[in-house]
Amino acid sequence: MAISETAKRNHDELFPDHVSALAVTDPELIEVFDNFAFDEVLGDANLDVRTRLMVQLASIIASQAVSEFRAMLGAALTAGVTPVEVKEIVYQAVPYVGLAKVFDFLHATNDVLTERGVQLPLPGQSTTTPETRADKGIAVQKRIVGDELVDGMYAAAADDESHFQRYLSANCFGDYLTRAGIDVKTRELLTFSMLVALGGADAQVKGHVAANLNVGNDRPTLLSVLTVVLPFIGYPRTLNGLNAVNDVTKAR
């Protein structure tokens, strides 16, 4: 087997003048992976290169693959993903993946940006204050999830667990989803790719399939996301994500 011309071209556009050490030590694996990830998969997905790399970065964070994240972060910057967008991907992972798992990726991001001459810190993207985060958060939560569902979640919460609903509105949505730098439609694709890659979050994956549909991301777009993250997260979690897409879109 040899690496196809399409795979070579797509790979070289993202990694110019880079020769993989694994292509020397493990040529058969690299040939299979490159032909799949940089040729076959891309033929079955309909995402622009920037969006593709953004959702791949999000899934790689959730997969806890720091070395691969560094490599793909360089590719994303080469393809035109901005430093602000990169930082927003990492920040948005905090409420879904947890800071304990995101911490190393934040350091890796800072290292790569600094190596490329980007001055840190970047311009702030927050649009809320401590006084407005709850109200703005629940507004964007209702836009994404739906008024009726959010109201129902509050109504169904027992007194000793109602604080979790407040946290979701003010922290998850108010502190993170209201930020500038990436639009809401793209943020929902990032959330979907993170939750699929995490595994064990099937109910939340279904919830965010519905949320993606609410903000204008259709079934073909979600299938394209699953297609391009598959080489990085594997078949079991990808197929679980596919089941969620099928269940929710058929129900609608």
Side-chain angles (χ1 to χ4, degrees):
M1 182 185 292
I3 298 176
S4 72
E5 290 303 315
T6 299
K8 287 180 182 177
R9 182 178 65 254
N10 288 328
H11 186 279
D12 290 347
E13 287 176 356
L14 298 179
F15 305 96
D17 303 319
H18 174 73
V19 178
S20 170
L22 292 179
V24 177
T25 60
D26 301 87
E28 290 182 331
L29 176 62
I30 295 306
E31 287 169 4
V32 169
F33 182 82
D34 281 9
N35 283 336
F36 185 54
F38 294 102
D39 186 351
E40 187 174 3
V41 157
L42 302 187
D44 290 315
N46 187 26
L47 295 176
D48 63 84
V49 64
R50 293 177 67 261
T51 302
R52 165 168 52 99
L53 287 161
M54 290 169 74
V55 298
Q56 287 174 334
L57 286 176
S59 72
I60 291 169
I61 294 172
S63 299
Q64 290 295 277
V66 177
S67 294
E68 183 65 12
F69 177 82
R70 285 179 178 270
M72 293 302 291
L73 173 53
L77 292 168
T78 297
V81 178
T82 68
V84 167
E85 289 170 329
V86 167
K87 274 294 185 81
E88 289 305 310
I89 295 169
V90 178
Y91 287 9
Q92 186 165 327
V94 173
Y96 296 104
V97 179
L99 183 60
K101 291 183 176 180
V102 173
F103 201 67
D104 289 342
F105 293 89
L106 184 57
H107 283 300
T109 300
N110 290 340
D111 290 344
V112 171
L113 292 178
T114 300
E115 289 164 5
R116 292 196 171 217
V118 177
Q119 183 68 41
L120 299 177
L122 298 175
Q125 300 298 315
S126 177
T127 66
T128 64
T129 66
E131 293 74 30
T132 64
R133 63 195 279 268
D135 288 342
K136 288 191 174 183
I138 200 166
V140 74
Q141 183 183 14
K142 287 185 173 183
R143 173 187 170 190
I144 294 170
V145 179
D147 290 26
E148 184 176 342
L149 186 55
V150 174
D151 290 341
M153 290 164 61
Y154 271 91
D159 289 344
D160 61 352
E161 61 184 54
S162 61
H163 58 290
F164 290 111
Q165 298 305 323
R166 297 197 307 272
Y167 293 165
L168 273 171
S169 297
N171 179 241
C172 182
F173 287 91
D175 290 337
Y176 295 98
L177 272 297
T178 60
R179 293 177 61 83
I182 298 177
D183 62 42
V184 169
K185 284 183 67 175
T186 304
R187 286 187 182 276
E188 267 307 302
L189 293 180
L190 298 175
T191 300
F192 174 66
S193 62
M194 289 177 196
L195 292 173
V196 169
L198 269 177
D202 293 345
Q204 288 73 27
V205 173
K206 284 187 176 182
H208 281 276
V209 170
N212 270 280
L213 298 175
N214 290 343
V215 299
N217 294 319
D218 57 13
R219 174 184 167 90
T221 300
L222 296 177
L223 293 180
S224 290
V225 170
L226 291 176
T227 302
V228 300
V229 301
L230 168 58
F232 299 93
I233 72 172
Y235 284 92
R237 292 179 181 184
T238 301
L239 294 176
N240 286 344
L242 179 59
N243 287 337
V245 172
N246 285 336
D247 288 347
V248 174
T249 56
K250 287 177 182 177
R252 290 203 175 192

